[in-house]
Amino acid sequence: LITNIVQAIDELGFGPYQCDHEDANGQFEINFDFDHALTTADNIIFFKYLVRSLAEQYGLRATFMPKFSSQLTGNGCHAHLSLHDAESGDNIVSSNEINKNEPSLSAQASQFLAGILDQSPALSAIACPTINSYKRIYASSTISGATWSPNVISWGGNNRTLMCRIPDDKRFEIRLADMACNQYLYPAALCAAGIHGLDNNLSLPLAAPDGCNMYDPHDDQARAIRTIAPTLPRNLRSALDNLDSSIPLRKYLTDDLVDAFLHLQKQHCDDFDSHISPWELEKYLDV
């Protein structure tokens, strides 16, 4: 099945270059070439349909559900972004200066990333748009010992336990969203948050030290970051409240779009609240 998927997207011109078995059982990460945001969104949407269709031919059901098992790692949707000069096309992420304490970002990249960090609580509503999404972000543990879904709004070098990772001098990775997000709205929201950072000359907070493990409660460096860094919303309603009060995202995405999104997502929350779960029946039936 995996071979057929990779061959299919290769024939479609996606440019697959890596396929790895991921942390959970039967979980795979397939990487293909980056492109403009709109083209990439089209490719991801088609990719999801293709995977489901090919899985059905094997009598299987493929899922991109954010958290499909309480014991296994969920499905993320990590965004790799690069910034380019509008006239020359040159990549402007790096400052090309040596900094021993944190990644050397250009002024523009620093401000752009600072805007994303600043708006992360509001971005969560778009990046993680389901009830189930927050069971992935705030999972207590998994069989492997790591959730790979950071909930502390943090950044630093090539460290996958941080929400924003700088793997090299050409890009940064936002490890926030899951595969339930709207692949067209989410990049627009990231850009809106980044432009907010540029327009207001925002500064980045303290970078997390290289080598710290944000999942390890006994890591002193990680503990120091957790004491000063804000965290993501604990649930969808909280994320929606953050989006509702976000002046920058309302400015750049427009009130009409934000209000329409909030209306639909609050209905989603109301629908969930109207259902009685098996867990509730087990716990409360005999009170």
Side-chain angles (χ1 to χ4, degrees):
L1 171 59
I2 301 301
T3 299
N4 286 349
I5 291 171
V6 174
Q7 288 177 343
I9 62 174
D10 188 35
E11 293 173 6
L12 289 167
F14 284 25
Y17 60 87
Q18 184 173 335
C19 176
D20 296 326
H21 191 292
E22 266 294 349
D23 201 53
N25 298 357
Q27 184 183 52
F28 289 84
E29 175 180 307
I30 298 176
N31 302 112
F32 45 82
D33 289 343
F34 71 90
D35 210 317
H36 294 293
L38 181 58
T39 301
T40 299
D42 288 341
N43 289 346
I44 294 174
I45 294 297
F46 190 84
F47 174 78
K48 292 174 71 175
Y49 281 114
L50 181 146
V51 170
R52 291 192 186 102
S53 298
L54 291 180
E56 288 176 359
Q57 295 179 12
Y58 286 80
L60 302 173
R61 184 174 182 179
T63 180
F64 297 92
M65 185 176 177
K67 186 68 173 174
F68 56 89
S69 167
S70 61
Q71 299 299 313
L72 300 176
T73 306
N75 291 313
C77 182
H78 302 154
H80 290 256
L81 287 77
S82 57
L83 301 178
H84 299 261
D85 184 272
E87 295 183 359
S88 67
D90 293 341
N91 189 301
I92 57 170
V93 169
S94 175
S95 68
N96 297 317
E97 297 178 358
I98 298 176
N99 188 331
K100 295 182 179 180
N101 296 321
E102 60 185 43
S104 299
L105 299 177
S106 68
Q108 299 98 318
S110 294
Q111 292 167 4
F112 192 92
L113 184 55
I116 290 176
L117 293 175
D118 178 69
Q119 290 299 301
S120 288
L123 284 171
S124 298
I126 295 171
C128 307
T130 72
I131 299 291
N132 180 258
S133 296
Y134 297 85
K135 295 183 178 181
R136 168 182 165 267
I137 294 174
Y138 280 97
S140 57
S141 183
T142 62
I143 292 175
S144 71
T147 67
W148 303 115
S149 52
N151 53 46
V152 177
I153 301 174
S154 53
W155 79 285
N158 193 13
N159 184 338
R160 287 179 169 83
T161 71
L162 306 177
M163 198 193 82
C164 297
R165 176 175 76 106
I166 316 296
D168 54 46
D169 63 354
K170 300 295 183 183
R171 61 196 162 112
F172 36 80
E173 179 189 36
I174 311 301
R175 301 171 62 83
L176 172 60
D178 59 50
M179 287 297 286
C181 74
N182 184 308
Q183 300 295 338
Y184 301 96
L185 181 57
Y186 178 51
L190 285 176
C191 289
I195 293 171
H196 160 62
L198 289 168
D199 285 351
N200 294 278
N201 299 316
L202 297 187
S203 298
L204 283 167
L206 180 70
D210 288 342
C212 79
N213 183 351
M214 297 300 291
Y215 304 130
D216 183 355
H218 305 296
D219 187 314
D220 292 337
Q221 293 180 319
R223 187 184 300 114
I225 294 295
R226 286 194 294 268
T227 59
I228 60 175
T231 57
L232 296 173
R234 296 283 310 192
N235 53 60
L236 180 56
R237 283 199 185 274
S238 177
L240 293 173
D241 288 342
N242 277 279
L243 176 59
D244 194 6
S245 61
S246 171
I247 296 174
L249 293 189
R250 282 187 171 278
K251 174 182 177 181
Y252 295 109
L253 296 178
T254 74
D255 283 328
D256 287 345
L257 188 150
V258 170
D259 287 337
F261 181 84
L262 290 171
H263 176 72
L264 290 173
Q265 292 304 95
K266 288 178 179 179
Q267 286 185 327
H268 178 66
C269 291
D270 291 342
D271 183 42
F272 174 78
D273 289 343
S274 70
H275 287 76
I276 308 301
S277 68
W279 183 90
E280 291 172 280
L281 292 174
E282 179 182 347
K283 294 293 183 181
Y284 307 132
L285 192 63
D286 294 321
V287 295

